[in-house]
Amino acid sequence: MRAVVLALTLAFVVNINYVSVPEFAPDKTYVYNYEALLLGGLPQEGLARAGIKVNSKVHLSAVTENTFLMKLMDPLIHEYAGIWPKDPFVPATKLTSALAAQLQIPIKFEYANGVVGKVFAPAGVSPTVLNLHRGILNILQLNLKRTQNIYELQEAGAQGVCRTHYVINEDPKTNHITVTKSKDLSHCQERIMKDVGLAYTERCAECTKRVKSLIETATYNYIMKPSSTGALITEATVEEVHQFSPFNEIHGAAMMEAKQILAFVEIEKTPVVPNKADYMARGSLQYEFSTEILQTPIQLIKISNAPAQIVEVLKHLVVNNVAMVHDDAPLKFVQLVQLLRAATLENIEDIWTQFKNEPVYRRWILDALPAVGTPVIVKFIKEKFLAGELTLPEFIQALVVALQMVTADLDTIQLTASLAWHEKLSTIPALHDVVMLGYGSMIAKHCVEVPTCSAELLGPIHEIAAEATSKNNIPEITLALKVLGNAGHPASLKPIMKLLPGMRTAATSLPLSVQVDAILALRNIAKKEPKLVQPVALQLVLDRSLHPEVRMVACIVLFETKPSVALMSSLAGSLKTETNMQVASFTYSHIKSLTRITAPDMAAVAGAAHVAIKLLSPKLDRLSFQFSRALKFDIYHTPLMVGAAGSAYMINDAATILPRAVVAKTRAYLAGAAADVLEIGVRTEGIQEALLKSPAADESVDRITKIKRTLRALINWKALPTSQPLASAYVKLFGQEVAFARIDRTIIEQAISLATGPKSRELLKAALKALQEGIALQYAKPLLIAEMRRILPTAVGLPMELSMYSAAVGAASINVQATITPPLPEEIETMTLEQLKKTDVQLQAEARPSIAVHKFAVMGVNTALIQAAVMARGKIRTIAPGKVAVRADILKGNYKVEALPVEVPEHIAAMSFETLAVARNIEDPTAERIVQLVPELSLQNRQTDLSSEILDPEMPPEAPVRASAPFDKTLCLAVPYIEIKGCVEVHSHNAAFIRNDPLFYIIGQHSARATVARAEGPTVERLELEVQVGPRAAERLLKQISLIDEETPEGKAFLLKLREILETEDKNRPISSESNSNSSSSSSSMSSSRVTETANPIDPFKKFHKDQTEFLLVQLILYKNFAKYLGNTVPPVFVIIARAVRVDRKLLGYQLAAFFDKPSARVQLIASSIAENDNWKLCADGVLLSKHKVTTKVAWGTECQQYAVITKAEAGILGEFPAVRLEWEWEELPILITNYAKKLSKHIPMAALQAGFRFERATNSEKEIELTVALPSKRSLNVIVRVPEMTLSRIAIPLPVTVPINPDGTLSIHIDQDILFRVQNYIYDCTTAQCSMMQDTITTFNNRRYKNEMPISCYQVLAQDCTPELKFVVLLKKDEESEENHLNIKLADINVDLYALGTQAKVKINEMEVPISSLPYQHPSGSIQIREKADGLSLYASGHGLQEVYFASGHWKIQVADWMKGQTCGLCGKADGEIRQEYTTPSGYLTKNSVSFAHSWVLPAESCRDASQCRMKLESVKLEKQVILNGQESKCYSVEPVLRCLPGCKPIRTTPVTIGYHCLSTLSNLNMLDGIYEKSVDLRETTDAHVACRCSEQCA
């Protein structure tokens, strides 16, 4: 058996084919023909392409066993830019000659076992030429395995280490070995590439799973002949394809195709002789980048003298962009940037010295330098600022842009760090912040280039954060967190966690804004390491002891980590028991909005959200917008790989009108990449308090000590943290915070003082003086909007570039001249109102703003020597000249604006887009070839399908298709009357005749030009808009207004018809004042009753009109009024005239006159044409019939008789609630309106259902719409809408603000009050929280009701300022004898007692009775008032946080100021909208029982002899029954204090209370009462609380 196995093994070994690696024998020179072709364009024939071809002979000879020399002989370079394949390649003779010396220098390389090692070349060989040699060496790279024919590995090559697949075949007949090597360049361990401007973009891997925008592959085919010493490569061919499309490649793509052929010719005996120069190690086979980054692909510039060329371009830009922007300004600006990149620091210094004193040149230089993006520029800007040669605005503008554009290497980072910590910047906080943020951004960019970037770069920031934390330096902590957030380095996670609440005890004491900033700093880290951030964010979200805002911000971060289904479900589970409504609403809305996301990178999260939303209650979806919300929406088109997304987060606080924070973010998707384009965040913490809060209360230590002494009896009372009045905002671009601002009261005061100070007056004087003397200004502003590039090496050794550039230049010339009569006084502040009324101001201004934008997209070869690429070039240029004259004659009440004629260029706007094939070289710039990608006339095949040709070569080719003719069209529109004609010329020629896909529609030539010129007819001198106010208004009317009057025959007929209509309506109207429907028809009435049943409990609408006859009379008066022209009795209030003034003086335009008749409370507006034979008019009349009803009529057409709409608005009652009804009636409407209305009505049912309305078909009037709105409360409304054929209804719609309406339908605002007082009252009514008590039932600030079993003679804290400021305390006590309520208010330096004596309310101040007759009382500080109100007394102290305390016999109410919401505590709660957390005790414990909660706020007595007469205390009580817990007999004590009589006193009244108990085994020796109130609850039982006690004389 062993013999058989041995025989089989030997047979198997003998049959293995050993494949020899290529070998080059010593003393021989191997000669090959070499051809390399690099061609770019679309693969379809008949379109233009651009490329390069290199032909040469290659000589290879061995120097040593593993070292070889390679020399190119007779190299020739060809260019190509033409129609493929008919146009020939063109030799680049001059370029070949210039490079011949370098190309023919032999290079040395190591080669062993088919693997290329190090490469050596003299210093005279440029990197570009050496890369061409590497392209040939790359062919020789073969990793052949002797024991496998098919295998895969990661192979090093010129383009990096990439996945390579080998297939080896041997042909015994020809004795040849065939090797096929395929490389997937999209899957490389180390890909050689260079990205510019893409550091802030993210690769969207999910976007490219199904479709790809860039596909790269290469195939190598070898034919080798075995020999005794190795194998000889007889022929090698390489085909490499780079396919790119901004859309799905299925819809067409541009290709960059590289081909190489290396064919063996012969073996010579003459060896290759090395160059005499020293050979230096020049790296390996991998491509070496040189000057590609400095060379823009859109133009090729031979830089011979950079400073002189910079000056030349700079002068061109300055001279040609004065009055308006030059067409080539953006391209010239990019050229200037490119030249500056090639300049040295000394060159730039010299140019700056030459032009720094010339403002126009200075601006152009400072605008161009930041776009250069080299470390030299950052150094230059730093030095010039420190030397005082740059102003602060110039420095900030230049530095912010430069830090975002500069290459982020270690030297630049250190340079930025030295600038950030420079002592000069530390004195300018805003500037210091900008530089620090830029420092963080540079580290982020550096880590994109070098993924293994060192954490030591952030060491200084970590030290700053630690030091600032130890010193409690809040601004420094905030800045450090923002820098760490920009950097987004995972090593910063631990330092940030030290500042997160709940992670460290020290962080809890930090302000809320710092805690929020710490959480937001995790966002960029989460993009890199989501699994590290997820548990931290989840812990913060679930920690209910944290502030709601902190938890909601953590929720934002958590969802940005793309949580899994399991994590999302866990979060949903915790949300079911969430006690904070703000957090519940925010998290639920966030999850729900994620279910609608369609972007591929969020698909998994959307799926998880769908699962989570099913676990949650839909009731959360019905929360009003007073609660926090998150909203996400997106649009993504998979075939085009284009999308956009938006997010909006509103973190609310029921305590304030303004949200606590608002964040809005936009995100874009393109070609498999994604980026957070813009994010803006605003926090308004404390800003409302700063605006509404009166001067602060007296902060004397004595006052606070007294109040604390009063409250010390509360068990474990904890003050709420003080919130500083503060607002802040930040702006992020591409995920990097570029600016932020903190606003506090000090900054606001400084801004006000600056605006009202002497400096502002001096500026105003200077501005007015300059206006009168005349201002002439020319200004130009260039901007490099985008520079995004990806440079990839090809198999040939030349770089291929994909890039996009956008540049814009704006220019404007402005001339302004003002004349003021009489002249203003020298001291403007002394000018009186009477002087101002007599002033005549005339202003004439002319402006010519213009802008030019160039956009380029390039794919092709880009080197400093040669360029060959396909390019898309877009241009936009607009010019909008204008000239106006303004006059304001205040004395005469005349105001006029005139648009004057101005010289207009031939085209006011021009847009063009074209796709080109371009080839050019540096040695022969005049030989540049530019060919349109789509020729005007050509023969095309619709689709070239190589596979069909291979499968069936005899299949006849598809018939060619002739290109379609270009589309040319001119559209013109003449504006009547003003004789202006506008035209748009459109030209388009594309390749859609080849394929009906987006890419083929885009390529080609497209242009559009807009012109404005005078039309045929009389010349228009000017356009006028004139307003005349006051008694002279009638004089300005250009055409007499006449209407049909009631005295004319037409008017009488009109009134007679109206009377008949009204009488008919009166007969059909029910006698009752109730109206179940529209007043227009009985059919509508039937519909209304049906809706009333379906929309129960909405009742019929009851008018306030009591008498039907009176109603009819009012209607007749109304219609009579509508037929009356007020101009016959009253002059117009004002007149507005808009007209065109022509040379023939013909009147053209419109006039509007406004009339007001006070006795009839009627307003009339009449607009009419001033043309001689044009009787078109629009008449609008409004009449206030009573305080309950307003009616208007709008009629238009000839003499206002063609069309009319009547609107009636009246107040009434719907059920028992005040209501308003609006009715719109019409007889005739334009057909256009009715047609659109019919189309719109088809969508109403679906829209109504989505909005939550109830929909029902009904036979309502066809010419009437009715809207009824009822207010069941001041913050909600019921709605019924009746339109033709349908009725809609919805009840209990929440409102964001309170509506000040009375039960009788009138507004609770008195028009005779001061406007400021009215606004303040309305704000207070909308914002103040109210707590009240009726018959022992307390309604809290959060509108939760519970019964308060009040202990006799013991004070309870009703409401207090729960911050350390203790601005006020309101105490409540039930008197022992009368059992009446008694309020005690402590604020400022006074104690106020409000109590009842019989049915009359009384007041004591500091124990002194104040007679009612001496009221109102005002505190000396003016901040406290006490006055009579209704049947009681009211105390007002808004500056202390108490808006009003009202007390009457058997009733009281408290209103706290808006800025105190969320900062109160006591029986009335926190006024924070969180009803689930209403029963919070002084220690912060959340109890479930209202009695336990109320008793926890009792101020107990220390002994029964206390002057307070309170005879009770709070204590933990033992459960008086046997308890078996966990199988053991246990003793239990309450973890909530219970009200019990003092020792020596007996209860005479008790009330049951259910509380929690903590239990221990009876065998335990531990003291149960130690820290009992902090123990956990083991069970809940009911016990008795004492509410009234009687004490013996011997009590303690």
Side-chain angles (χ1 to χ4, degrees), residues 782-803:
L783 181 64
L784 183 61
I785 301 171
E787 182 182 18
M788 294 184 287
R789 306 169 66 186
R790 171 162 288 180
I791 305 171
L792 305 162
T794 63
V796 174
L798 291 171
M800 169 198 138
E801 180 168 333
L802 294 167
S803 59

Side-chain angles (χ1 to χ4, degrees), residues 1315-1570:
I1315 184 64
L1316 181 60
F1317 186 73
R1318 279 188 280 155
V1319 172
Q1320 286 180 339
N1321 275 352
Y1322 178 70
I1323 292 175
Y1324 292 146
D1325 196 25
C1326 290
T1327 60
T1328 55
Q1330 179 174 298
C1331 176
S1332 61
M1333 181 172 176
M1334 286 286 289
Q1335 299 177 351
D1336 292 336
T1337 298
I1338 291 181
T1339 303
T1340 67
F1341 290 132
N1342 290 334
N1343 207 29
R1344 184 166 185 175
R1345 292 180 175 87
Y1346 66 91
K1347 189 172 182 180
N1348 180 23
E1349 292 288 346
M1350 296 176 60
I1352 300 297
S1353 299
C1354 291
Y1355 277 114
Q1356 290 176 285
V1357 177
L1358 192 56
Q1360 75 168 74
D1361 174 10
C1362 231
T1363 69
E1365 295 181 23
L1366 291 172
K1367 291 181 281 293
F1368 67 86
V1369 175
V1370 182
L1371 303 177
L1372 171 67
K1373 182 175 74 170
K1374 179 180 284 190
D1375 186 69
E1376 185 173 6
E1377 296 178 2
S1378 64
E1379 293 201 0
E1380 291 284 347
N1381 293 336
H1382 180 153
L1383 293 185
N1384 175 262
I1385 304 143
K1386 302 178 186 297
L1387 69 168
D1389 57 351
I1390 63 172
N1391 269 343
V1392 179
D1393 288 290
L1394 298 174
Y1395 60 97
L1397 189 61
T1399 59
Q1400 190 174 12
K1402 297 288 185 179
V1403 59
K1404 286 183 181 179
I1405 299 178
N1406 293 335
E1407 302 298 331
M1408 297 293 293
E1409 182 89 26
V1410 177
I1412 301 300
S1413 59
S1414 63
L1415 295 180
Y1417 164 84
Q1418 183 160 329
H1419 189 267
S1421 66
S1423 61
I1424 304 171
Q1425 287 187 357
I1426 302 174
R1427 60 177 66 225
E1428 287 185 278
K1429 181 178 180 182
D1431 297 331
L1433 300 173
S1434 283
L1435 178 144
Y1436 302 91
S1438 57
H1440 300 267
L1442 282 174
Q1443 188 60 38
E1444 180 184 3
V1445 178
Y1446 173 76
F1447 180 84
S1449 179
H1451 172 61
W1452 55 257
K1453 71 174 181 180
I1454 299 173
Q1455 286 183 319
V1456 293
D1458 171 70
W1459 48 270
M1460 279 304 303
K1461 289 180 178 179
Q1463 301 181 40
T1464 63
C1465 56
L1467 297 180
C1468 287
K1470 290 181 65 176
D1472 59 356
E1474 297 293 341
I1475 57 174
R1476 293 183 179 180
Q1477 302 179 37
E1478 195 74 305
Y1479 297 153
T1480 303
T1481 65
S1483 64
Y1485 177 79
L1486 184 62
T1487 182
K1488 297 182 178 180
N1489 186 271
S1490 62
V1491 177
S1492 176
F1493 162 68
H1495 288 178
S1496 70
W1497 289 99
V1498 169
L1499 299 180
E1502 295 183 359
S1503 74
C1504 62
R1505 302 186 187 279
D1506 278 359
S1508 66
Q1509 299 182 353
C1510 182
R1511 303 291 180 261
M1512 281 159 272
K1513 65 176 181 178
L1514 289 165
E1515 62 181 8
S1516 176
V1517 298
K1518 185 178 180 180
L1519 182 60
E1520 300 297 339
K1521 73 174 185 178
Q1522 185 179 10
V1523 176
I1524 304 299
L1525 194 66
N1526 299 326
Q1528 292 184 342
E1529 186 177 351
S1530 303
K1531 53 185 177 180
C1532 303
Y1533 285 84
S1534 67
V1535 298
E1536 302 173 39
V1538 180
L1539 206 57
R1540 288 295 170 92
C1541 293
L1542 290 167
C1545 303
K1546 295 181 179 180
I1548 58 175
R1549 191 189 304 170
T1550 63
T1551 185
V1553 56
T1554 302
I1555 53 175
Y1557 288 86
H1558 180 74
C1559 304
L1560 277 181
S1561 172
T1562 54
L1563 302 176
S1564 174
N1565 295 324
L1566 295 176
N1567 186 355
M1568 283 286 293
L1569 297 179
D1570 284 348

Side-chain angles (χ1 to χ4, degrees), residues 438-457:
Y439 178 73
S441 298
M442 291 194 66
I443 294 175
K445 288 197 295 182
H446 176 68
C447 292
V448 171
E449 293 287 334
V450 185
T452 58
C453 58
S454 172
E456 294 179 0
L457 295 172

Side-chain angles (χ1 to χ4, degrees), residues 121-333:
V125 178
S126 68
T128 301
V129 172
L130 187 58
N131 284 330
L132 286 172
H133 286 83
R134 285 190 174 100
I136 301 172
L137 295 178
N138 192 52
I139 301 175
L140 303 181
Q141 181 85 344
L142 278 166
N143 284 278
L144 299 177
K145 295 187 178 182
R146 296 180 179 273
T147 58
Q148 290 179 276
N149 288 345
I150 300 175
Y151 53 92
E152 190 176 278
L153 52 80
Q154 290 283 340
E155 182 180 86
Q159 294 138 314
V161 181
C162 300
R163 183 191 296 172
T164 309
H165 188 269
Y166 276 86
V167 177
I168 303 174
N169 291 311
E170 185 176 2
D171 188 351
K173 295 181 179 180
T174 59
N175 195 26
H176 284 171
I177 299 172
T178 303
V179 178
T180 301
K181 180 174 73 171
S182 300
K183 281 194 174 186
D184 185 354
L185 300 177
S186 300
H187 294 82
C188 299
Q189 283 184 353
E190 299 176 19
R191 182 71 162 99
I192 306 299
M193 69 169 63
K194 186 72 70 173
D195 285 342
V196 177
L198 298 173
Y200 299 141
T201 60
E202 308 163 28
R203 180 175 173 267
C204 180
E206 297 83 357
C207 300
T208 55
K209 279 185 178 180
R210 292 175 55 193
V211 295
K212 298 183 182 297
S213 60
L214 180 61
I215 300 175
E216 304 172 280
T217 184
T219 302
Y220 298 70
N221 291 299
Y222 300 87
I223 298 176
M224 297 190 298
K225 186 175 181 181
S227 66
S228 57
T229 59
L232 173 67
I233 299 176
T234 59
E235 185 180 56
T237 60
V238 180
E239 290 189 6
E240 181 179 275
V241 174
H242 300 261
Q243 182 174 285
F244 174 79
S245 173
F247 317 120
N248 185 347
E249 76 278 2
I250 295 174
H251 300 293
M255 283 176 47
M256 200 73 190
E257 189 177 7
K259 292 184 179 180
Q260 292 173 285
I261 299 175
L262 187 67
F264 176 71
V265 178
E266 61 180 346
I267 296 177
E268 294 182 354
K269 295 293 184 179
T270 307
V272 177
V273 180
N275 194 277
K276 295 181 181 180
D278 294 335
Y279 278 76
M280 303 167 59
R282 300 286 293 272
S284 64
L285 184 60
Q286 289 188 350
Y287 181 88
E288 177 187 358
F289 285 99
S290 57
T291 60
E292 292 92 339
I293 297 176
L294 300 179
Q295 177 64 46
T296 60
I298 58 178
Q299 53 189 345
L300 189 61
I301 304 173
K302 186 171 186 178
I303 303 176
S304 55
N305 185 346
Q309 290 172 284
I310 291 171
V311 172
E312 180 184 353
V313 175
L314 190 60
K315 288 182 177 179
H316 179 278
L317 287 168
V318 170
V319 172
N320 293 284
N321 294 276
V322 181
M324 66 178 71
V325 68
H326 195 273
D327 185 48
D328 70 348
L331 187 62
K332 282 291 182 181
F333 178 67

Side-chain angles (χ1 to χ4, degrees), residues 518-624:
I519 298 171
L520 292 176
L522 299 172
R523 296 171 76 185
N524 280 338
I525 300 176
K527 293 178 181 179
K528 300 176 182 177
E529 300 290 344
K531 298 301 180 185
L532 291 179
V533 176
Q534 268 182 8
V536 178
L538 183 62
Q539 181 178 345
L540 293 171
V541 173
L542 300 182
D543 190 347
R544 297 182 180 178
S545 64
L546 300 179
H547 192 282
E549 183 179 355
V550 170
R551 299 175 61 195
M552 287 183 274
V553 173
C555 182
I556 295 174
V557 176
L558 177 64
F559 286 123
E560 288 186 356
T561 63
K562 302 178 182 177
S564 63
V565 177
L567 193 151
M568 192 85 81
S569 300
S570 300
L571 182 62
S574 70
L575 202 61
K576 291 181 179 180
T577 58
E578 178 59 55
T579 58
N580 189 284
M581 296 303 296
Q582 296 289 347
V583 175
S585 174
F586 185 84
T587 309
Y588 178 84
S589 61
H590 205 155
I591 295 174
K592 186 171 182 180
S593 65
L594 285 171
T595 62
R596 298 187 289 266
I597 295 299
T598 59
D601 61 333
M602 296 295 288
V605 183
H610 275 288
V611 174
I613 206 72
K614 294 175 182 177
L615 303 175
L616 296 171
S617 170
K619 292 181 180 179
L620 292 172
D621 202 22
R622 296 196 290 268
L623 291 175
S624 71

Side-chain angles (χ1 to χ4, degrees), residues 909-1081:
M911 294 179 288
S912 65
F913 177 85
E914 56 185 345
T915 48
L916 313 166
V918 181
R920 52 201 168 204
N921 68 76
I922 199 70
E923 296 299 331
D924 193 4
T926 58
E928 176 184 34
R929 277 172 296 282
I930 299 178
V931 180
Q932 294 288 342
L933 202 63
V934 182
E936 290 289 335
L937 294 174
S938 63
L939 292 176
Q940 303 286 344
N941 286 331
R942 285 189 180 275
Q943 180 68 42
T944 302
D945 193 341
L946 298 179
S947 61
S948 63
E949 295 177 11
I950 295 172
L951 292 174
D952 190 0
E954 296 183 2
M955 180 181 293
E958 189 174 354
V961 178
R962 182 172 295 277
S964 58
F967 172 82
D968 289 286
K969 193 164 187 178
T970 301
L971 303 173
C972 291
L973 176 65
V975 182
Y977 306 129
I978 62 175
E979 308 303 339
I980 292 179
K981 182 175 71 173
C983 292
V984 177
E985 303 170 19
V986 180
H987 169 82
S988 180
H989 178 59
N990 56 39
F993 58 89
I994 299 176
R995 283 179 59 179
N996 188 22
D997 286 320
L999 183 64
F1000 291 85
Y1001 277 98
I1002 293 174
I1003 64 172
Q1005 304 90 45
H1006 314 276
S1007 65
R1009 297 185 299 180
T1011 60
V1012 175
R1014 295 185 186 274
E1016 296 179 2
T1019 304
V1020 176
E1021 292 184 346
R1022 63 186 181 276
L1023 302 177
E1024 282 186 1
L1025 177 64
E1026 183 178 3
V1027 179
Q1028 179 67 53
V1029 180
R1032 300 189 181 185
E1035 301 174 6
R1036 303 303 301 171
L1037 289 172
L1038 299 178
K1039 184 178 180 181
Q1040 191 65 32
I1041 298 175
S1042 62
L1043 295 177
I1044 297 178
D1045 203 356
E1046 66 268 23
E1047 301 302 327
T1048 65
E1050 296 88 346
K1052 290 179 180 179
F1054 180 64
L1055 284 177
L1056 183 61
K1057 184 178 180 181
L1058 287 176
R1059 182 185 294 273
E1060 291 174 358
I1061 294 172
L1062 286 171
E1063 289 175 350
T1064 303
E1065 289 185 0
D1066 186 36
K1067 292 176 183 178
N1068 294 331
R1069 188 184 302 276
I1071 300 301
S1072 170
S1073 61
E1074 298 181 2
S1075 175
N1076 294 329
S1077 68
N1078 293 330
S1079 59
S1080 60
S1081 67

Side-chain angles (χ1 to χ4, degrees), residues 840-859:
D840 183 5
V841 180
Q842 298 182 45
L843 182 72
Q844 186 164 316
E846 182 177 3
R848 296 180 69 84
S850 57
I851 186 170
V853 180
H854 285 192
K855 196 174 187 71
F856 302 89
V858 182
M859 179 180 183

